[in-house]
Amino acid sequence: MIIVASLDDPDRFAQVYEKHAGMLYGYAYRRVGREIAEDVVADAFVAAFRARHTYDPGYPNAFPWLLAIVHRELARHYRAESARYRAYLRVKPDSGEEALADRVAAAASAQAWRGPLATALARLGRKERDVLLLVAWGDLSYEEVARVLQIPIGTVRSRLNRARRRMRDVLESDPARSTLTGTELEERWWKKWSRA
């Protein structure tokens, strides 16, 4: 385990960064945008390096542990995240040349869903949104989400259920999607956003 090895050889921690930084940045970018995401990930890796002695080697995958640290950093930027979703509703897609991160995010989220999804995400409470995005964008299991948020697994399930229901209600009320059933909307949303 690289994190354990980094206790004796701190330079080994760079391998943890190389392996996970891109995915952590992608998660943070979708939540708060490029500028804040860069700071969040940098701060998270500094915190992870300092706390590497607390890592439980019983978990072979360090990603959920790192995502928990990123999640704590993101909590300090909750207002920026909410403002980002509201801004999605006001801004038309830019047809000019975009940065690579913008192109990747745009490709992962179909433009037709941008407004309705932003509306639905903006209407979720922070707790429900955290669970939903850790599952969808963080690709974590319910158990890993429970560990990241330090809540019981039953709470994860109930928050995810509420978030899905609220997302479905908002998406079903969108006239452009009125021909789709709630199940079809949910399946399309998960397909588009769980791979983002």
Side-chain angles (χ1 to χ4, degrees):
M1 163 74 13
I2 297 170
I3 294 177
V4 174
S6 75
L7 293 172
D8 293 328
D9 182 6
D11 290 340
R12 300 271 320 262
F13 198 78
Q15 294 172 333
V16 175
Y17 179 86
E18 291 169 5
K19 181 176 181 179
H20 298 290
M23 289 175 34
L24 294 170
Y25 173 77
Y27 178 79
Y29 172 84
R30 288 182 209 103
R31 300 233 14 202
V32 293
R34 182 182 357 196
E35 295 81 16
I36 296 174
E38 290 171 356
D39 292 341
V40 163
V41 172
D43 292 345
F45 271 103
V46 169
F49 180 80
R50 289 179 180 155
R52 68 191 191 281
H53 66 281
T54 66
Y55 180 74
D56 182 353
Y59 297 105
N61 183 4
F63 184 72
W65 178 72
L66 293 166
L67 195 54
I69 296 169
V70 167
H71 182 76
R72 284 191 295 274
E73 293 294 326
L74 284 170
R76 294 189 297 154
H77 299 283
Y78 173 69
R79 287 185 185 163
E81 179 183 17
S82 296
R84 181 173 171 80
Y85 295 131
R86 288 190 303 273
Y88 276 144
L89 300 174
R90 294 188 303 268
V91 177
K92 301 272 190 229
D94 182 15
S95 60
E97 200 168 330
E98 299 172 328
L100 175 60
D102 291 338
R103 289 194 312 267
V104 170
S109 60
Q111 291 297 331
W113 288 90
R114 188 178 197 170
L117 285 172
T119 298
L121 286 170
R123 290 183 183 172
L124 288 178
R126 178 177 171 207
K127 292 177 180 181
E128 286 83 12
R129 184 168 49 222
D130 287 344
V131 169
L132 178 73
L133 297 181
L134 285 168
V135 170
W137 290 346
D139 199 29
L140 298 184
S141 68
Y142 293 0
E143 293 82 9
E144 291 169 329
V145 172
R147 203 169 82 231
V148 166
L149 298 178
Q150 298 178 341
I151 58 177
I153 194 165
T155 304
V156 170
R157 292 179 199 278
S158 63
R159 287 181 186 173
L160 184 58
N161 186 45
R162 276 195 307 273
R164 285 174 147 172
R165 188 176 53 243
R166 288 181 182 161
M167 293 291 291
R168 191 170 38 245
D169 291 347
V170 171
L171 294 175
E172 284 178 339
S173 68
D174 181 21
R177 280 38 170 207
S178 61
T179 60
L180 299 176
T181 67
T183 303
E184 290 170 326
L185 285 167
E186 185 175 342
E187 287 173 5
R188 288 186 183 193
W189 188 85
W190 282 112
K191 282 180 187 173
K192 290 187 185 312
W193 289 81
S194 66
R195 285 184 269 129

